[in-house]
């Protein structure tokens, strides 16, 4: 055979691949062996769950050494030692397949609710292959119990989270089986059983797996994994398994992958190679090498440089002599991230049944400068290893908005289709800033005086007065580093006259959190036929239509308002006058809210042993806070007594008082709550 024949035909070991669709494709022999092995393990009664403390536990594995707070796994493992003795983790075996592994350790995730929130979001709708809700599984359970997993890790010092994304994940016959094999190998390397669950995601162009590991080993001790193994060892194991199933990457396959990267608007492997080889950002490609493989690499670089030149990121000073821009890497990274965001927004709009020009997309790196009103069309984790959320909002201004870094607690009630308003941080400052300014005398804030005042008023939920004041001191420490306040001593802080304004400006400059309001948890269709006071009703009564752009969601809101107006006329809550204008019932919002509350109360009474009683404005209510109910008029708290129950407007101040006695005075569409029977001042 000639040298050229090697480029036309290459024997490739690995499983036989067919041209049939991936769904329903025949499983490889390796996958069948794995399945039978797991079935035999399940039949023998093995649970695969780590044991927690107590006698009879297995001894520590070879790959573990004692550490201060637990057993440090991975540092002494044979696998790690072998890699360190060779060329290190950066050495990549020829033909191995690429896998990206991201990891994060979260402290106290079980105690602060972050573990439950993360598990909830990685199982959200639309992540499975068929677009359904993501399915949680474990080493030997196809449907793992998430609540039980969270309960086992509730008191763990930390929780590990991984995202495993093989470059060729779409070609794997069984992504779940692959994940189980990977975690079994990790357990062998660390010398301990792990308590883990996982979810496969198919909602992006590259299928990937989310793995969550509780923070204790099989001995019940803190699981401490060596940093080198987290950063490199798991990725190496993941790569070995993909290569074992699909076979090594051939030169032709690798070349095709690189050719596909030439015109991409993101940082590619070709770019990274050129940046590594360049000297003072100059790359000399004048001389053509003799090696055919190097000739092909040179051709790829020249084609990519042509693309970068068109983008203004590379300059050819002489034939074959190129200068790479200082902004090449940050610009391409930003373009790649923006491209991913635009594809996410386009997908969310397509699911919603609409199409939109990408030029109408707005990506907000911080809180928007002007308020955005629209419907939620997507809600997902900003960083899939963290907790902060991203909302994609179809605005009434005719644009689609992407806003990241949102506190999950602020949008806990918002669902897909809910109406929200997202604006800049509160210019009046945060509640803690206003409290500090209010407590300052002569420009001096004293934590000791604040503590006395808090105890006297009894207004701190849970009674943690020391922690309440300490949170204000921590805020002052952060503002001191920004040069806004001055610490005189441990009990005196100098506060400027424009304190709240400067603090708010400081937060905005740091990308302060957006100010978010959930205007309605109901979508437009539900609001049109609702019997309560809806967001559409408030717009109709206010006569606000000028902000509705006659396109996209703005046009849909205009049509929904027309339909809602006709509905109100039909039920006698509005009248169309001879001149065509419409007059609405006096106090329409209050009337609609009372009507819905009465209906909801009667419906709830059918499930309780006590009757419902409506409350009047100005009346004081008391009883046990037993739960909430979401109506089109808003969220309402259920307050029960031994002989009756009632519904009153909910406020966040009683969120943690479930099951406790509360009291409050109804004031219009709100309540001034008094937490506990013995407290006399309202919140």
């Amino acid at each position: 055979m000639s040298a050229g024949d090697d480029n036309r035909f290459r024997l490739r070991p690995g499983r036989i691949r067919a041209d049939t669709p991936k769904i329903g494709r025949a499983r490889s022999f390796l996958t069948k062996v794995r399945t039978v092995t797991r079935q035999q393990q399940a039949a023998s009664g093995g649970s695969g769950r780590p044991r927690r403390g107590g006698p009879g536990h297995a001894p520590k594995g070879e790959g573990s050494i004692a550490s201060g707070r637990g057993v440090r796994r991975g540092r002494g493992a044979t696998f790690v030692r072998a890699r360190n003795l060779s060329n290190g983790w950066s050495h990549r075996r020829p033909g191995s397949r690429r896998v990206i592994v991201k990891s994060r350790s979260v402290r106290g995730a079980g105690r602060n609710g972050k573990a439950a929130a993360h598990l909830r979001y990685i199982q959200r709708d639309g992540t499975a292959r068929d677009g359904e809700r993501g399915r949680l599984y474990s080493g030997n359970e196809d449907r793992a119990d998430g609540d039980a997993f969270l309960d086992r890790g509730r008191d763990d010092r930390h929780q590990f989270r991984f995202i495993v994304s093989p470059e060729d994940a779409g070609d794997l016959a069984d992504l779940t089986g692959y994940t189980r094999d990977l975690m079994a190998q990790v357990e062998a390397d660390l010398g301990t059983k792990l308590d883990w669950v996982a979810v496969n995601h198919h909602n992006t162009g590259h299928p990937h797996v989310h793995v969550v590991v509780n923070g204790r080993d099989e001995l019940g001790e803190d699981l401490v994994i060596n940093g080198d193994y987290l950063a490199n060892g798991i990725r190496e194991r993941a790569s070995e398994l993909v290569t074992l199933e699909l076979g090594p990457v051939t030169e032709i396959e690798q070349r095709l992958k690189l050719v596909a990267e030439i015109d991409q608007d993101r940082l590619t492997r070709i770019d990274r190679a050129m940046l590594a080889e360049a000297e003072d950002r100059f790359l000399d490609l004048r001389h053509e090498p003799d090696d055919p493989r190097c000739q092909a690499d040179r051709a790829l670089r020249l084609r990519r440089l042509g693309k970068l030149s068109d983008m203004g990121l590379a300059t050819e000073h002489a034939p074959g002599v190129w200068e790479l821009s200082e902004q090449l890497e940050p610009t391409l990274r930003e373009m790649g991230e923006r491209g991913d965001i635009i594809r996410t927004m386009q997908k969310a709009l397509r699911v919603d049944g609409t199409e939109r020009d990408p030029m109408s997309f707005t990506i907000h790196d911080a809180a928007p400068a002007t308020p955005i009103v629209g419907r939620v069309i997507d809600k997902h984790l900003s960083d899939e290893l963290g907790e902060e959320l991203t909302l994609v909002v179809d605005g009434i201004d005719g644009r689609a908005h992407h806003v990241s870094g949102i506190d999950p607690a602020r949008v806990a009630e918002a669902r897909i289709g809910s109406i929200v308003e997202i604006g800049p941080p509160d210019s009046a400052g945060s509640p803690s800033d206003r409290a500090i300014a209010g407590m300052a005398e002569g420009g001096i804030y004293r934590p000791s005086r604040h503590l006395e005042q808090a105890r006297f008023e009894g207004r701190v939920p849970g009674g943690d007065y020391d922690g309440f004041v300490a949170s204000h001191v921590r805020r002052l420490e952060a503002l001191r580093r920004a040069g806004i306040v001055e610490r005189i001593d441990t009990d005196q802080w100098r506060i400027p006259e424009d304190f709240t304004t400067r603090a708010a400006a400081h937060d905005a400059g740091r990308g302060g959190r957006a100010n978010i309001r959930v205007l309605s948890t109901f979508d437009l269709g539900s609001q049109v036929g609702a019997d309560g006071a809806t967001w559409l009703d408030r717009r109709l009564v206010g006569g606000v239509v000028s902000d509705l752009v006659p396109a996209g969601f703005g046009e849909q809101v205009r049509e929904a308002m027309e339909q809602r107006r006709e509905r109100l006329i039909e039920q006698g809550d509005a009248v169309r006058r001879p001149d065509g204008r419409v007059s609405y019932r006096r106090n329409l919002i209050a009337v609609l809210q009372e009507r819905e509350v009465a209906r909801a109360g009667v419906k709830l009474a059918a499930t309780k042993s006590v009757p419902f009683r409506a409350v009047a404005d100005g009346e004081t209510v008391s009883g046990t806070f037993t739960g909430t109910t979401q109506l089109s008029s808003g969220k309402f708290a259920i307050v029960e007594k031994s002989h009756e129950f009632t519904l009153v407007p909910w406020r966040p101040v009683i969120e943690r008082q479930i099951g406790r006695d509360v009291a409050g005075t109804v004031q219009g569409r709100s309540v001034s709550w008094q937490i506990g029977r013995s407290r006399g001042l309202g919140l």
Side-chain angles (χ1 to χ4, degrees):
M1 295 177 65
S2 65
D5 293 335
D6 187 50
N7 293 327
R8 291 196 296 269
F9 179 80
R10 175 67 61 89
L11 191 63
R12 173 177 173 167
R15 66 184 178 89
I16 299 175
R17 302 176 64 183
D19 294 330
T20 55
K22 295 173 184 175
I23 298 177
R25 178 186 292 170
R27 295 182 299 171
S28 68
F29 176 74
L30 179 60
T31 301
K32 294 178 181 178
V33 172
R34 292 170 179 161
T35 302
V36 172
T37 302
R38 283 193 294 270
Q39 290 173 349
Q40 291 176 344
Q41 290 175 344
S44 64
S47 64
R49 295 173 183 266
R51 291 170 287 180
R52 299 297 186 92
H57 279 181
K60 299 174 184 178
E62 176 193 359
S64 64
I65 62 174
S67 69
R69 293 292 303 274
V71 177
R72 182 171 295 277
R73 303 287 177 178
R75 175 165 291 180
T78 304
F79 175 66
V80 177
R81 288 201 303 268
R83 290 297 183 274
N84 290 337
L85 288 173
S86 64
N87 294 332
W89 296 106
S90 60
H91 176 69
R92 188 180 172 198
R93 297 178 181 179
S96 61
R97 294 183 178 269
R98 291 203 316 159
V99 179
I100 296 175
V101 177
K102 299 180 181 180
S103 64
R104 183 187 179 193
S105 174
V106 182
R107 285 185 173 270
R111 292 187 294 271
N112 56 27
K114 292 182 178 180
H118 184 74
L119 212 61
R120 182 167 59 251
Y121 281 110
I122 64 174
Q123 294 179 86
R124 68 186 185 275
D125 291 341
T127 58
R129 188 190 297 273
D130 53 5
E132 297 297 322
R133 181 176 173 81
R135 190 182 70 191
L136 197 70
Y137 63 89
S138 64
N140 49 24
E141 295 174 319
D142 290 335
R143 292 190 178 274
D145 187 339
D147 292 336
F149 174 79
L150 292 172
D151 187 61
R152 294 194 298 272
R154 191 171 308 280
D155 297 323
D156 291 357
R157 189 182 67 171
H158 51 249
Q159 178 188 79
F160 292 99
R161 300 173 184 173
F162 302 96
I163 298 177
V164 182
S165 180
E167 183 181 34
D168 302 305
D171 293 330
L172 292 173
D174 182 6
L175 190 57
T176 299
Y178 165 78
T179 304
R180 286 170 169 160
D181 290 339
L182 172 62
M183 295 309 297
Q185 185 61 68
V186 171
E187 289 176 337
D189 290 337
L190 302 184
T192 180
K193 281 287 187 179
L194 300 177
D195 188 7
W196 64 272
V197 292
V199 178
N200 299 338
H201 277 198
H202 297 270
N203 58 325
T204 65
H206 299 282
H208 55 279
V209 184
H210 287 260
V211 182
V212 183
V213 183
N214 277 332
R216 292 185 186 273
D217 60 17
E218 62 184 341
L219 302 178
E221 298 176 334
D222 289 336
L223 176 65
V224 185
I225 304 177
N226 177 264
D228 289 339
Y229 188 78
L230 283 174
N232 304 291
I234 297 177
R235 184 183 70 242
E236 181 114 347
R237 287 303 196 192
S239 175
E240 288 175 355
L241 288 171
V242 177
T243 306
L244 178 63
E245 177 166 345
L246 301 183
V249 181
T250 65
E251 290 186 22
I252 295 176
E253 186 178 0
Q254 181 67 21
R255 188 70 55 190
L256 291 175
K257 290 180 179 180
L258 291 174
V259 169
E261 294 182 359
I262 290 175
D263 293 320
Q264 290 185 3
D265 295 332
R266 63 170 63 245
L267 189 68
T268 68
R269 284 175 286 184
I270 304 174
D271 302 323
R272 292 189 181 94
M274 291 192 297
L275 287 169
E277 294 174 8
E279 296 183 3
D280 295 329
R281 303 197 316 277
F282 278 88
L283 198 65
D284 189 349
L285 299 177
R286 288 176 295 182
H287 304 290
E288 184 171 346
D290 296 330
D291 185 358
R293 187 175 304 171
C294 294
Q295 292 175 8
D297 290 341
R298 177 176 178 271
L300 285 173
R301 284 167 169 73
L302 289 173
R303 291 177 61 185
R304 178 61 176 172
L305 286 167
K307 167 73 174 181
L308 296 176
S309 176
D310 294 339
M311 299 169 66
L313 298 175
T315 304
E316 188 176 22
H317 292 286
V321 179
W322 291 83
E323 181 184 6
L324 305 179
S325 170
E326 290 182 348
Q327 299 302 314
L328 186 146
E329 184 170 356
T331 299
L332 290 177
R333 286 189 183 278
E334 182 179 350
M335 292 179 67
E337 292 172 0
R338 182 177 177 85
D340 292 339
I341 290 172
I342 289 176
R343 282 188 289 274
T344 298
M345 297 173 74
Q346 288 174 325
K347 181 176 181 179
L349 287 166
R350 283 196 297 269
V351 169
D352 197 56
T354 60
E355 293 287 346
R356 197 69 52 82
D357 184 349
M359 296 300 295
S360 68
F361 294 169
T362 302
I363 300 172
H364 301 270
D365 296 325
T370 57
I372 299 166
V373 176
R375 63 173 170 177
V376 178
I377 58 175
D378 194 19
K379 176 182 175 183
H380 59 268
L381 293 170
S382 301
D383 175 1
E384 291 199 319
L385 290 173
E387 287 82 30
E388 289 190 339
L389 297 179
T390 289
L391 292 186
V392 180
V393 177
D394 191 5
I396 60 176
D397 59 356
R399 304 186 67 83
H401 299 267
H402 181 280
V403 186
S404 57
I406 294 176
D407 182 359
R410 301 294 302 276
V411 291
E413 306 294 334
R415 303 185 293 266
I416 303 300
S418 296
I419 313 300
V420 298
E421 180 185 69
I422 306 177
D426 190 353
S427 60
S430 67
S432 61
D433 293 339
R434 294 195 294 270
I436 291 170
M439 291 298 301
E441 294 180 345
I444 302 298
Y445 167 82
R446 292 179 173 83
S448 60
R449 182 179 178 277
H450 197 174
L451 181 61
E452 292 175 1
Q453 185 73 15
R455 285 174 173 165
F456 173 76
E457 295 180 351
R459 298 175 56 180
V460 178
D464 184 10
Y465 302 104
D466 292 325
F468 173 72
V469 175
S471 67
H472 291 73
V473 173
R474 288 194 297 270
R475 170 64 171 169
L476 287 171
E477 285 287 358
L479 296 176
R480 179 187 64 81
R481 291 191 291 270
I484 296 174
V485 300
E486 178 187 351
R487 183 175 60 192
I488 301 174
D489 55 39
T490 56
D491 195 41
Q492 293 189 92
W493 293 79
R494 183 169 285 113
I495 307 298
E497 292 184 2
D498 57 348
F499 169 70
T500 55
T501 301
R502 292 177 62 183
H506 168 70
D507 291 342
R510 295 174 60 250
R513 287 187 184 273
N515 189 17
I516 301 175
R517 288 195 303 150
V518 180
L519 303 177
S520 175
T521 59
F522 288 62
D523 59 25
L524 290 182
S526 301
Q527 291 184 53
V528 168
D531 59 356
T534 68
W535 174 67
L536 292 175
D537 296 322
R538 293 180 175 88
R539 291 188 64 90
L540 287 170
V541 171
V544 181
V545 293
S546 60
D547 57 347
L548 299 177
V549 173
F553 186 59
E555 182 63 27
Q556 294 177 28
V557 172
R558 191 185 299 270
E559 294 173 357
M561 289 176 66
E562 290 287 345
Q563 296 172 17
R564 180 62 175 174
R565 182 184 292 114
E566 294 301 322
R567 169 84 176 194
L568 294 174
I569 293 173
E570 290 176 4
Q571 59 191 30
D573 292 315
V575 176
R576 190 182 300 277
R577 297 191 296 189
D579 60 1
R581 291 188 293 177
V582 176
S583 297
Y584 299 97
R585 179 195 292 269
R586 188 169 180 267
N587 296 327
L588 174 66
I589 302 301
V591 170
L592 291 174
Q593 177 174 305
E594 292 174 5
R595 186 184 300 165
E596 184 180 32
V597 168
R599 177 195 59 78
V602 172
K603 184 177 180 180
L604 279 172
T607 65
K608 296 181 178 292
S609 58
V610 292
F612 166 75
R613 183 181 68 84
V615 295
D617 191 16
E619 180 181 346
T620 298
V621 296
S622 62
T624 303
F625 172 37
T626 60
T628 62
T629 183
Q630 185 70 55
L631 307 179
S632 60
S633 299
K635 190 175 182 180
F636 287 78
I638 304 172
V639 180
E640 294 191 31
K641 289 186 175 181
S642 59
H643 59 283
E644 65 183 15
F645 78 94
T646 188
L647 298 176
V648 291
W650 175 89
R651 286 183 60 192
V653 71
I654 65 168
E655 181 69 45
R656 299 183 180 179
Q657 304 302 316
I658 188 77
R660 300 180 182 178
D661 289 336
V662 296
T665 302
V666 178
Q667 298 174 341
R669 293 191 294 273
S670 184
V671 177
S672 177
W673 287 106
Q674 302 167 17
I675 308 302
R677 294 184 184 277
S678 62
R679 298 182 183 175
L681 295 179
L683 285 179

